[in-house]
C-alpha cells in the first residue's frame, strides 16, 4: 500500500498515513518571523514500520512543502539534518540567522519540544 503524506499545519505535524493509519510523522513549527521557515523538531516512525523509507519520505516531502511555499527548512531534528546533509540538491542549507531564530523560538516554547 502506498504512503500518503498529509500536512496537518494546525497540529504541527506532517503525517505519513498508510491504509488509514499514521505510520510516522515529523513534528514541526513555523518560524514566527520572516522568512517563516518550517522547523523540523522530531521525525518519528511508528514501531514495526522502520526500514521502509518512511522517515526519508517524510523529510523529502517536508522540504517539498517548504520549497512550494518559498521558505527555508531548519532541520533541528537529527534525522532531518542527516538526511539534508546527504541530499544537498533537495535540501538547501538555511541562513545562519534563520537557524538562530528557530532555536530561540523552540527554546521559548512552553511544554515539550
Amino acid at each position: 500500500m502506498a504512503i500518503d503524506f498529509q500536512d496537518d499545519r494546525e497540529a504541527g505535524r506532517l503525517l505519513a498515513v498508510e491504509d488509514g493509519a499514521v505510520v510516522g510523522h515529523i513534528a514541526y513549527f513555523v518560524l514566527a518571523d520572516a522568512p517563516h521557515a518550517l522547523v523540523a523538531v522530531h521525525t518519528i516512525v511508528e514501531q514495526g514500520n522502520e526500514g521502509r523509507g518512511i522517515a526519508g519520505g517524510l523529510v523529502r516531502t517536508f522540504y517539498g512543502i517548504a520549497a512550494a511555499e518559498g521558505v527555508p527548512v531548519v532541520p533541528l531534528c537529527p534525522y532531518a539534518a542527516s538526511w539534508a546533509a546527504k541530499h544537498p540538491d533537495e535540501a538547501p542549507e538555511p541562513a545562519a540567522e534563520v537557524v538562530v531564530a528557530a532555536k530561540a523560538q523552540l527554546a521559548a516554547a512552553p511544554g515539550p519540544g
Side-chain angles (χ1 to χ4, degrees), residues 8-113:
D8 185 353
R9 181 72 49 104
E10 193 171 302
R13 300 275 191 264
L14 174 63
L15 306 172
V17 180
E18 181 178 45
D19 198 23
V22 175
V23 293
H25 72 273
I26 290 179
Y28 74 95
F29 64 90
V30 179
L31 188 61
D33 298 323
H36 306 295
L38 298 183
V39 184
V41 181
H42 298 293
T43 302
I44 297 168
V45 173
E46 299 301 327
Q47 189 172 6
N49 290 286
E50 303 91 343
R52 298 178 51 211
I54 294 169
L58 279 162
V59 177
R60 177 173 275 120
T61 300
F62 192 69
Y63 271 93
I65 291 168
E69 294 178 10
V71 299
V73 167
V74 179
L76 297 183
C77 160
Y79 179 84
S82 173
W83 186 94
K86 293 175 186 171
H87 301 88
D89 55 321
E90 296 179 69
E93 191 170 334
E97 60 270 14
V98 176
V99 175
V100 169
K103 288 180 179 179
Q105 185 172 327
L106 180 62

